[in-house]
Amino acid sequence: MNTKNFMLLAATAVVSLLMSCNTNEGTKTTSTTQSPIDMVAEGEPEMAEVTGAPNVPAPVGNRGPKKWIVKLETTEIEGTIADSTKYTFWTFNNTVPGSFIRVREGDEVELFLKNAENSVLPHNIDLHAVTGPGGGAAATTSAPGKETSFTFKAINPGLYVYHCAAPPVPMHIGNGMYGLILVEPAGGLPKVDREYYIMQGDFYTKASSKKGLMEFDNDKAVAENPDYVLFNGKKGSLLGANMIEAKVGETVRLFVGNGGPNLTSSFHVIGEIFDNVYLEGGSTISHNIQTTMIPAGGSAIVEFKVDVPGEYVLVDHSLSRAFNKGCIGKLKVTGEPNPKVFKANTLVKE
Amino acid sequence: MKKYLLLIFSVALLIITSCTENKQQPVEQNMSGNSIFNLSTVWHNQNGDSLQFKNLQGKTLVVVMIYTSCKSACPILVAKMKTIESKISRKDIEKVSLVLVSIDPETDTPEHLKEFAKTNKMEEPQWIFLSSNEEATQEFANVLSMKYKKISPIDFSHSNIITIFNPKGVMVSQEEGLEINVDNVVNTVSKTVKEFK
Amino acid sequence: MYRLLTFCLIMFFVFSCTKSAENIETNSENVHAHNTEINSFSSTDVKMVYIKGGLYKPFYGSDTILVDVKPFLIDERPVTNAEFLAFVKANPQWQRSSVKKIFVDAAYLKDWKSDTELPLNADPEAPVCFVSWFAAKAFAKSIGKRLPTLDEWEFVAMADTDTPNARNKPSYSDAILDLYLEKDRQYKKVKQSKPNYWGVYNVFDLIWEWTDDFNSALTTGDSRAGEYDDKGLFCAGGATSATDVLNYAAYMRYSMRTAIKANYTIANLGFRCAKDTLITN
């Protein structure tokens, strides 16, 4: 073997070593520290599944970043707010709260906002998950009958509120124009058995010119004195036949948002302790929490395992809101009793 | 009888000629309803020539609305336009017009515009400065979906938009805001020039 | 025989001539697009109301800046379906099938049965909607009028039924808000409700209205930006730049103005005309 050949061999060996080294490093970066901004969203855009409360779309799981089309329609519709009381709601996709959007970090979302032709007013959307001017509000301001769109990359995992930001904003939100968008981290949230979507809002009402129909009361809103504080836009939306459900032994995850426009929620489930709370919908997980604070325009993810059958009451623990203004719902847990954890003593000492 | 025939013939001839005369139409074939060449407003350029937008036909247009006495946003926009101009390939530049339309027709007379062009070294033939009257200005601003308001006799508040039209006068794209991406504009221009070769 | 031939010959020329004359007509519309030559149609009987004007404080802007609104005339009610129909009959270039797309979007005169027939069930005396700013301007020009300016319109809108400026009455904004929240109002006849202090009808109860300089509303669609021009400030600034933060009705009008473009045509957006006046008292 002459020197030349030896040199060549040596060089090849070094290069291949270097390369293998690089590859290893590359893999490491992807799995841990790659910025979501640099993640490449693969493929052609697909229509994203969105859902009305209390349901949520399927978890993102292990998939990589993708491109999505999300379509929302803003509407102004009559609906039932409590018992036989009608109210003029303004909505995203005809529901209060609006459709739940579920993506992962690194996803690219092209959001289309169509304002219904029979709307009286312009509407828009500010998603707190968006990094950019107004969260998309100016880019999506849509006159009645018109559609706008913008594209954003989800770069911060978390549970975010979206809402209409057209003037007067408190009125648009007060009428129900809010919802949640979940940005899951790479790899997805840990698997649980049940997931539900709950959003609190405060409502300020007065009689409208139409008989039996209530509408937004500006003065009450300014005074922050609501007639109703509600989960999912309607008294009883999580009661009776509408209770959310789980079985003994299952893990439950609640995506809880607060649209406001004004009140901060003290979210509590009577008879449960939250094993995990993603504080304010972000990345810090706190354990063993009884009541978590959810600011207007904010959220929390709460998780707990249900061990004992029964009906568990969801409330805003500012309790007048629960008992006098409608902010109450129920989780129904079925299954075998679990006396190791809880047993009512039937013997009465005399 | 012959005389009679001659008369008929002359009449017929007359009809024919008058007919052909009417047939001479300056109208462009297949003009899109979306084209700014539909606008009938009359403008003046920096040389004092009067013209309509349809006279700009045949070149890719990069259009911005400004006023020359502006001290805040417009100098930035003008600088952007100059950067765009410098980045368009010299091969393409003769197929492009960079058009600065005044939103202050009172101040921005042709002489004033000429002066402005000279001071800012924008004197090559691809630079076109236009001003008209208030009504035409308002109409054109609305064609560009531009917002503007006179807030004092010498000051306007306005949105900052650079618009690209193809050689047929149809809008290709708009870039808005003071952080306009120059390279996007340049790319769109070269693509448009290529498309209409 | 000769005569027949001559006749045929002449007929042929005449015919070919008429045909090209037709071409000319359509072509000439292209040439004189829309602003230079608009035919006036049988005049409408809308009464114009004299507004004496004066100093007024715009809803958005500095607290200290007052705008001097000069005297002007304004239509006592919005332009109706019947009037707009007469306009497009006299000005075929503004009919749905021939209008230049640069001036209107796809919804222009939506639901009209044909170029010259109103929508089924449309009340001729209801305000015309689905018209663009360009179309509204052409209409006004055709009868020697113009669109009111934003300041003129808002000046008139300060009045309630008894006073020229009711902005400080608590009932003022509330009453308007109630009207604004009602749907499908635009299908009602004009002049069925009470006029305001100036004798102007339907300021709030039927439709949104184009103004000449609607595009001078420089707030962005994001109300919280609120600055006087779009410098991209996105916070709760709307509350600081509006002079009357409780006037939700005014917020809505500005919201509408910032959401529209001149070629937009919308189900509840129409217009009325105005005119300069030399009378100053």
Side-chain angles (χ1 to χ4, degrees), chain A residues 4 18 42 51 55 70 75 124 133 212 216 239 263 273 295 322 341:
Chain A
K4 221 176 178 183
L18 274 176
E42 303 285 351
T51 59
N55 301 314
V70 171
T75 62
N124 62 24
F216 181 78
L239 292 176
L263 303 186
I273 296 127
V341 179

Side-chain angles (χ1 to χ4, degrees), chain A residues 76 90 117-122 124 126 133-134 137 141 143-144 146 163 165 167-171 206 215 218 222, chain C residues 105 110 130 178 180-183 185 208 221-224 234 246 248 251-252 255-256 259-260 264-268:
Chain A
E76 301 158 2
W90 298 351
E117 188 180 295
N118 70 351
S119 286
V120 176
L121 291 162
N124 62 24
D126 166 358
T141 295
K146 305 300 172 197
H163 62 88
V169 195
M171 183 172 182
K206 66 174 181 192
E215 67 183 25
N218 194 16
V222 171
Chain C
D105 68 17
K110 191 161 179 270
F130 286 118
D178 282 351
Y180 279 178
L181 294 180
E182 199 189 319
K183 285 200 151 195
R185 298 166 275 140
W208 304 115
D222 185 339
S223 61
R224 304 154 302 167
F234 289 87
L246 286 181
Y248 274 23
Y251 272 117
M252 289 179 174
S255 163
M256 190 66 188
I260 54 182
Y264 274 20
T265 67
I266 292 172
N268 60 356

Side-chain angles (χ1 to χ4, degrees), chain B residues 26-164:
Chain B
V27 176
E28 303 80 4
Q29 291 292 300
N30 311 322
M31 182 161 65
S32 160
N34 284 322
S35 171
I36 50 166
F37 304 147
N38 286 300
L39 303 178
S40 59
T41 46
V42 178
W43 299 75
H44 297 279
N45 65 14
Q46 69 266 43
N47 301 319
D49 311 321
S50 38
L51 55 107
Q52 292 182 297
F53 280 108
K54 63 182 173 205
N55 299 121
L56 304 179
Q57 195 183 6
K59 291 193 178 185
T60 297
L61 308 176
V62 184
V63 180
V64 69
M65 287 186 94
I66 52 135
Y67 63 107
T68 59
S69 44
C70 174
K71 300 271 179 292
S72 54
C74 304
I76 303 175
L77 281 174
V78 171
K80 293 260 178 196
M81 287 293 276
K82 288 177 78 169
T83 315
I84 292 166
E85 195 272 346
S86 70
K87 287 191 165 192
I88 296 172
S89 81
R90 293 303 99 179
K91 183 165 90 321
D92 285 351
I93 198 73
E94 55 196 54
K95 298 186 185 89
V96 178
S97 293
L98 297 113
V99 188
L100 292 92
V101 181
S102 171
I103 53 174
D104 183 11
E106 237 169 86
T107 315
D108 291 336
T109 57
E111 301 77 47
H112 204 99
L113 292 173
K114 180 120 197 154
E115 189 60 40
F116 184 84
K118 201 174 163 191
T119 320
N120 288 281
K121 302 197 171 65
M122 301 159 89
E123 292 182 291
E124 295 96 332
Q126 59 266 35
W127 293 106
I128 299 175
F129 292 78
L130 295 178
S131 72
S132 181
N133 54 39
E134 218 153 280
E135 194 182 342
T137 309
Q138 186 195 30
E139 181 188 70
F140 191 60
N142 271 316
V143 166
L144 300 182
S145 304
M146 176 172 152
K147 303 202 177 277
Y148 79 107
K149 185 184 176 75
K150 196 169 188 161
I151 49 179
S152 80
I154 51 152
D155 238 343
F156 291 77
S157 191
H158 60 94
S159 46
N160 306 300
I161 306 178
I162 291 180
T163 310
I164 300 160

Side-chain angles (χ1 to χ4, degrees), chain A residues 240-264:
Chain A
N242 306 318
M243 274 190 260
I244 53 175
E245 293 175 358
K247 291 199 174 75
V248 169
E250 286 183 332
T251 43
V252 177
R253 176 181 290 143
L254 305 179
F255 297 105
V256 192
N258 184 6
N262 297 319
L263 303 186
T264 294

Side-chain angles (χ1 to χ4, degrees), chain C residues 65-268:
Chain C
I65 293 178
L66 292 178
V67 171
D68 187 11
V69 176
K70 299 271 179 292
F72 64 100
L73 300 174
I74 192 162
D75 285 357
E76 63 166 353
R77 56 160 175 79
V79 171
T80 62
N81 280 324
E83 287 164 343
F84 204 82
L85 176 63
F87 165 72
V88 298
K89 279 181 176 166
N91 297 278
Q93 75 271 29
W94 284 103
Q95 289 171 9
R96 207 176 45 183
S97 65
S98 38
V99 67
K100 291 280 177 279
K101 297 299 171 229
I102 197 169
F103 298 122
V104 298
D105 68 17
Y108 179 60
L109 301 181
K110 191 161 179 270
D111 300 329
W112 280 39
K113 278 193 290 180
S114 72
D115 273 349
T116 52
E117 286 172 290
L118 295 179
L120 203 69
N121 301 326
D123 191 320
E125 287 177 52
V128 68
C129 288
F130 286 118
V131 286
S132 69
W133 176 86
F134 295 106
K137 256 188 103 81
F139 177 100
K141 194 162 184 171
S142 73
I143 47 173
K145 296 183 186 179
R146 59 175 173 80
L147 295 179
T149 66
L150 200 157
D151 286 332
E152 286 170 345
W153 199 97
E154 289 290 331
F155 185 89
V156 173
M158 290 195 298
D160 62 3
T161 49
D162 320 306
T163 49
N165 182 358
R167 275 173 163 184
N168 293 328
K169 294 187 193 174
S171 58
Y172 163 78
S173 174
D174 280 358
I176 300 169
L177 214 53
D178 282 351
L179 294 170
Y180 279 178
L181 294 180
E182 199 189 319
K183 285 200 151 195
D184 299 333
R185 298 166 275 140
Q186 68 269 27
Y187 304 116
K188 296 181 186 170
K189 281 186 205 307
V190 295
K191 282 182 75 174
Q192 303 299 299
S193 51
K194 268 189 169 175
N196 75 3
Y197 169 85
W198 302 103
V200 178
Y201 291 83
N202 310 122
V203 180
F204 305 114
D205 64 340
L206 297 181
I207 51 170
W208 304 115
E209 295 181 20
W210 285 111
T211 54
D212 189 56
D213 53 344
F214 77 96
N215 64 329
S216 66
L218 288 167
T219 56
T220 65
D222 185 339
S223 61
R224 304 154 302 167
E227 261 302 316
Y228 211 50
D229 56 35
D230 47 357
K231 284 175 183 147
L233 303 171
F234 289 87
C235 58
T240 58
S241 62
T243 56
D244 176 6
V245 292
L246 286 181
N247 191 343
Y248 274 23
Y251 272 117
M252 289 179 174
R253 287 198 296 279
Y254 277 83
S255 163
M256 190 66 188
R257 285 172 194 141
T258 54
I260 54 182
K261 296 179 178 180
N263 67 334
Y264 274 20
T265 67
I266 292 172
N268 60 356

